[in-house]
Amino acid sequence: MSSLRPFCLTTWLAAPAAAMLLLLTPASQSHAQAPATPAPAQSADPASASPSQTTVAVTSPEQRGVTARAVDKVKQVAKSAADVFSRVPCLPPKGGSKAMGTLPHVASKLVAGQPVVIVAFGSSSTAGFGASSPEFNYPNRLAAQLHRHYPTADITVVNAGVGGEDAPEMMKRLQTQVIDVHPDLVIWQVGTNAVLRNLDPGDTAKLVEDGISRIQAAGGTDIVLVDPQYSPAVNQRKESAGKMIKLLGNVAELRHVGIFPRFEVMRDWHENQSIPVESFVIADGLHMNDWGYACFAQLLGDDIIRSVGQIKLGVNAPADVRTYRPM
């Protein structure tokens, strides 16, 4: 069971360049749960651990060159994060589609200036497999967007994604990694691995419904489901994927929670916006790339921001009203 690691944008921005480089190391493409590759040693000389000799090494021309390159790398990655949409803009689906409704708990907390905790619960596309660095996974992109829009708000986004899991495995950690955190919002991405494993979509839907009931019983939490992604690997199992998407939508309606229609949104990118699949899916034909995660997070964040705006205007639409009108 992986431990929770809250993401705080303010803390991340204040990290020294050396620490930031560790965060910016590209994610392993072998498996989302694989241990991170150790950072290269500063020097091949074992004596470099000595404080005095470390000081000498830092001031050497060679080490100054390493430091300068490190700073340049940080600047380069930061720039790429800012202009990820420069070539291909992130646009909402043409004509709109069903999606998550209002989020009264998280919106009310933001309006009142109280701390907000969001748990991103899911598998490898929540953990960020396929992203070039941790900052490009969708929970971190979402946190960055919300902090830009609410610069004085205390917002924590917890990435509780574990690669390879689906509903049966997620249910085993639901209590400790979701309910016990007392989140204001749970974004539950589920269903893709069940489709790939040819599991019964009905069994998955039943587990998800049970999980939602447990979260709701704890009280004070908004919930948004995220259905499977539109990608070649998923599309090869079109019938199973279609059943999964329909059943998750039914569960959301039954339990009065939101749903973000990731499959429909990504299909719109390709079929209506004429974006090549390889522009938002990596070579494995399944996981999203930096642009895909960023646009997914952007549209999801737009829905959250709109919900807060509705609360401010005194509009308290029921959560089962899922009209998708991203800003």
Side-chain angles (χ1 to χ4, degrees):
M1 183 179 297
S2 61
S3 59
L4 298 183
R5 290 181 293 179
F7 172 81
C8 178
L9 185 67
T10 304
T11 302
W12 181 81
L13 290 175
M20 290 173 69
L21 282 178
L22 293 177
L23 288 175
L24 300 177
T25 302
S28 169
Q29 298 295 312
S30 59
H31 194 280
Q33 290 181 273
T37 303
Q42 291 293 328
S43 170
D45 182 2
S48 64
S50 167
S52 60
Q53 290 183 347
T54 299
T55 302
V56 173
V58 169
T59 58
S60 69
E62 180 181 356
Q63 189 63 36
R64 283 199 300 271
V66 172
T67 303
R69 288 195 296 272
V71 173
D72 288 343
K73 179 177 176 62
V74 171
K75 291 180 178 179
Q76 180 180 359
V77 174
K79 181 180 179 181
S80 64
D83 65 8
V84 69
F85 297 138
S86 61
R87 287 178 300 228
V88 180
C90 176
L91 302 175
K94 296 179 180 179
S97 64
K98 289 184 178 180
M100 51 188 279
T102 58
L103 307 172
H105 294 101
V106 68
S108 297
K109 284 286 193 74
L110 284 173
V111 171
Q114 298 175 346
V116 171
V117 175
I118 300 172
V119 172
F121 191 46
S123 58
S124 57
S125 58
T126 296
F129 189 90
S132 64
S133 71
E135 70 166 336
F136 283 104
N137 66 44
Y138 103 76
N140 284 1
R141 293 289 302 198
L142 176 63
Q145 179 187 2
L146 294 178
H147 275 272
R148 286 194 303 270
H149 199 85
Y150 308 106
T152 63
D154 180 2
I155 301 173
T156 300
V157 176
V158 179
N159 190 332
V162 176
E165 290 193 350
D166 212 272
E169 297 85 5
M170 294 177 197
M171 289 296 288
K172 295 177 182 179
R173 58 192 182 94
L174 181 72
Q175 183 68 43
T176 58
Q177 297 201 356
V178 178
I179 296 174
D180 290 349
V181 179
H182 305 292
D184 301 293
L185 170 63
V186 174
I187 304 170
W188 191 351
Q189 167 260 313
V190 66
T192 298
N193 287 322
V195 170
L196 298 179
R197 296 172 187 164
N198 292 317
L199 301 180
D200 184 354
D203 292 342
T204 298
K206 182 63 170 62
L207 287 173
V208 172
E209 184 180 351
D210 291 344
I212 291 173
S213 297
R214 288 174 56 187
I215 296 171
Q216 290 177 327
T221 302
D222 297 318
I223 302 171
V224 172
L225 296 179
V226 176
D227 62 23
Q229 64 265 48
Y230 176 90
S231 66
V234 174
N235 294 342
Q236 287 176 3
R237 295 165 172 80
K238 186 175 181 180
E239 183 177 353
S240 178
K243 289 180 179 178
M244 182 68 70
I245 293 165
K246 181 178 180 180
L247 287 172
L248 289 176
N250 290 343
V251 169
E253 185 173 2
L254 178 66
R255 300 304 309 179
H256 301 290
V257 301
I259 185 163
F260 186 92
R262 181 169 55 152
F263 187 90
E264 189 176 343
V265 167
M266 293 179 69
R267 182 170 62 182
D268 185 88
W269 294 346
H270 180 58
E271 295 183 359
N272 293 331
Q273 300 184 36
S274 301
I275 301 174
V277 172
E278 57 269 23
S279 293
F280 54 84
V281 174
I282 64 173
D284 69 359
L286 176 62
H287 296 94
M288 289 184 282
N289 61 14
D290 289 346
W291 187 93
Y293 284 124
C295 192
F296 167 41
Q298 180 72 39
L299 298 177
L300 183 60
D302 286 345
D303 271 350
I304 295 173
I305 291 167
R306 183 179 65 251
S307 178
V308 176
Q310 289 177 323
I311 296 294
K312 286 182 176 179
L313 293 173
V315 178
N316 190 14
D320 60 345
V321 177
R322 286 180 289 277
T323 53
Y324 186 55
R325 295 186 299 274
M327 300 169 65

